[in-house]
Amino acid sequence: MDALRRTLLKGAGATGAIAAAIAAGVLKPSQVLAAEYNRAAFEAKDMAGALKNIGAASAADSTGIAIKAPDIAENGAVVPVDVSSSIPNTISLAVLVDKNPLPLSSAFDFANGALPEMALRLKMGQTSLVEVVAKTADGKYYRAKKEVKVTVGGCGG
Amino acid sequence: MADPMKIRAQMKGDTAEIRVLMSHPMETGQRKDNAGNLVPAHYIQSITIDVAGKRVIQGQTATSVSRNPVFGFRVKGAKAGDKVVINWVDNKGDKRTDEATIAA
């Protein structure tokens, strides 16, 4: 269940790298204690950064991930999206919106009978790809995407 | 303290369908108020769901999730009468825990 945290640790190279970062004053100790929240991934400003920080930079395209979303969303503030994975042993799903200022919307881990699927509502600032990344128990990553056209953006401003 | 979550949990065959509506502004930190000041980011960061005392879902979210988030999940092997406990924590440290019982 600590998959996200492990990813974070891996992303930072090793605990040693985190200690070095504290020494260098880059990370405050309080932030390290709060490492459960994958800040680097959620605050990444582009897809490449978000994917890298969830450990999925080299995810393979897969047809085993289903994304149900409207082709055209009239209201970008509430875009209903259903995602599911039929890839065996999927333990985690992340949903990203390519063109949003902070693309990573959510990442969920599933265990104890929870099926690797979820329904959620996304904000979309403009027409964009919605990407889903699935992680399997053996640490492999897969991705799929679907374009959603947005007529009225939902990121305020 | 935020308003209670609305939780619906119901069996369909051997699988429980859990839907939850959380009452939260999910501010992006990019929106401006009428006076032109940026509204600070305020959003749910962490969500957990336990069914019958076992952690089934654990997730993290950010501002690309809509205001008053709705999530739907399915849990295989759950039973009618099992207790569902859902918890969220936001970036300001506010939190909320609510529970429901799975209906037959």
Side-chain angles (χ1 to χ4, degrees):
Chain A
M1 296 300 292
D2 281 332
L4 281 166
R5 194 168 69 189
R6 264 182 264 126
T7 306
L8 176 74
L9 288 173
K10 206 166 59 188
T15 11
I18 291 185
I22 296 171
V26 183
L27 280 170
K28 292 192 200 99
S30 62
Q31 286 174 314
V32 176
L33 286 175
E36 287 231 353
Y37 191 63
N38 191 348
R39 198 165 288 281
F42 281 102
E43 291 182 358
K45 291 191 166 49
D46 54 33
M47 285 293 283
L51 288 171
K52 182 171 151 261
N53 282 299
I54 55 174
S58 57
D61 287 333
S62 171
T63 52
I65 300 168
I67 306 174
K68 257 203 290 186
D71 294 327
I72 298 173
E74 285 186 5
N75 179 1
V78 184
V79 181
V81 177
D82 274 18
V83 303
S84 64
S85 167
S86 58
I87 301 166
N89 299 317
T90 300
I91 54 165
S92 178
L93 287 174
V95 181
L96 302 96
V97 183
D98 193 354
K99 296 258 175 67
N100 272 8
L102 305 174
L104 182 56
S105 79
S106 55
F108 280 87
D109 297 338
F110 306 91
N112 292 318
L115 301 178
E117 58 173 55
M118 58 184 171
L120 73 166
R121 294 176 179 174
L122 295 174
K123 276 182 211 147
M124 294 183 65
Q126 54 180 302
T127 296
S128 169
L129 291 172
V130 172
E131 287 221 20
V132 176
V133 173
K135 184 190 180 189
T136 56
D138 56 359
K140 291 203 172 66
Y141 289 89
Y142 300 90
R143 63 197 281 190
K145 55 195 166 205
K146 176 179 184 358
E147 190 188 44
V148 177
K149 288 197 164 58
V150 175
T151 48
V152 179
C155 283
Chain B
M1 181 55 107
D3 288 335
M5 290 176 238
K6 287 188 182 130
I7 304 171
R8 203 184 65 200
Q10 187 160 32
M11 292 304 296
K12 240 182 198 165
D14 63 347
T15 304
E17 289 190 355
I18 299 174
R19 285 187 76 81
V20 54
L21 186 155
M22 301 167 182
S23 181
H24 201 282
M26 297 301 279
E27 282 293 349
T28 59
Q30 311 203 8
R31 192 173 68 87
K32 290 183 175 146
D33 64 17
N34 292 337
N37 302 313
L38 275 181
V39 181
H42 186 203
Y43 56 96
I44 293 174
Q45 282 192 323
S46 159
I47 295 168
T48 62
I49 303 180
D50 292 2
V51 172
K54 277 196 195 149
R55 181 65 42 90
V56 292
I57 308 269
Q58 165 175 297
Q60 301 186 341
T61 55
T63 53
S64 289
V65 173
S66 295
R67 181 165 181 264
N68 295 334
V70 174
F71 291 100
F73 296 102
R74 293 202 299 158
V75 180
K76 211 178 161 78
K79 297 187 298 295
D82 282 354
K83 199 160 83 168
V84 179
V85 180
I86 305 184
N87 170 274
W88 59 250
V89 182
D90 72 20
N91 66 321
K92 293 184 177 173
D94 288 343
K95 57 185 85 172
R96 167 111 220 154
T97 303
D98 287 291
E99 54 184 69
T101 304
I102 300 178

